[in-house]
Amino acid sequence: GQYIHDQTDTLPTWQAVMILWASVFPDGRLSQVVQDRANKAIDVRKSWKVASILVSADNSTSHYDETRTIKKYLVTQWIPESAIFQDFAWFDTYDSMYRARDIFKVNKLIISTQSFHQPRAVWIARELWLDADWIVADRRIYRDQLRTATREFFARVKAWINVIIGSKPRFLWPAVPIT
């Protein structure tokens, strides 16, 4: 569709590219899924389509911090720390989009994610009145595709319910505009 981009040169120039959570390893390595999302976000930033990268991930325990791990990776790839914004309160894609809009004051967003996640991510963003496009982050065939498809089915149902009832995210705090 009109919001899908395979290459950075077809993207609009917007406020931020968002990397949504995916697991990291205890030794600081990124999973293939999140590494591909991060690498595509890096491509978007280096092509000057956005000024900022918004990382929305899980840091629910003191021993597990996806957000800082992803940020460290971005910095090793020559992304300036001043261009990286961190949303530590990830619980689901709906919460991430809601906080992008209300806390980080983003209204034009590029989402770096894989094709299995794209329909839900872009739909949620647009239902929350964000202009959102998707940059394809698929760079390989991922393991556990059946489990991913099953999880995605239930996540779509949950997202639909969140949008219909106008759920609020678990955590909201004062605005920190990325601009």
Side-chain angles (χ1 to χ4, degrees):
Q2 64 186 358
Y3 308 121
I4 301 170
H5 303 270
D6 290 322
Q7 304 295 321
T8 57
D9 60 343
T10 64
L11 285 168
T13 302
W14 280 1
Q15 290 172 294
V17 59
M18 176 183 266
I19 302 169
L20 291 163
W21 78 279
S23 61
V24 298
F25 297 103
D27 65 4
R29 288 179 300 123
L30 305 180
S31 68
Q32 290 180 338
V33 171
V34 78
Q35 184 172 14
D36 291 350
R37 290 176 186 182
N39 286 338
K40 189 53 80 168
I42 290 165
D43 293 347
V44 171
R45 172 69 169 72
K46 288 184 176 179
S47 71
W48 298 103
K49 294 294 183 172
V50 298
S52 303
I53 296 176
L54 177 56
V55 179
S56 184
D58 181 10
N59 78 329
S60 56
T61 73
S62 61
H63 303 292
Y64 186 73
D65 189 344
E66 294 171 350
T67 312
R68 285 188 181 92
T69 303
I70 296 167
K71 180 182 178 181
K72 285 179 190 175
Y73 177 76
L74 295 172
V75 170
T76 68
Q77 302 302 308
W78 304 102
I79 300 297
E81 284 193 51
S82 61
I84 304 167
F85 289 79
Q86 298 173 95
D87 177 4
F88 294 103
W90 179 89
F91 284 98
D92 59 23
T93 302
Y94 179 85
D95 280 15
S96 294
M97 296 301 167
Y98 198 111
R99 281 191 308 279
R101 183 192 71 191
D102 286 19
I103 294 172
F104 296 97
K105 301 299 182 185
V106 172
N107 57 19
K108 295 181 179 294
L109 181 68
I110 298 165
I111 303 166
S112 177
T113 195
Q114 283 79 12
S115 55
F116 67 82
H117 186 224
Q118 174 271 330
R120 177 169 52 100
V122 172
W123 180 79
I124 291 169
R126 291 195 167 271
E127 287 295 314
L128 292 175
W129 297 94
L130 290 165
D131 283 333
D133 279 50
W134 168 53
I135 186 74
V136 179
D138 297 270
R139 293 190 174 186
R140 63 189 95 209
I141 296 173
Y142 302 98
R143 295 184 305 147
D144 301 325
Q145 289 186 336
L146 179 59
R147 187 182 70 153
T148 299
T150 302
R151 182 195 171 285
E152 188 60 26
F153 171 80
F154 289 107
R156 287 179 186 185
V157 170
K158 181 179 178 235
W160 182 79
I161 292 168
N162 283 334
V163 167
I164 296 301
I165 66 173
S167 295
K168 301 274 189 232
R170 286 192 197 182
F171 297 106
L172 282 174
W173 52 81
V176 182
I178 66 167
T179 55

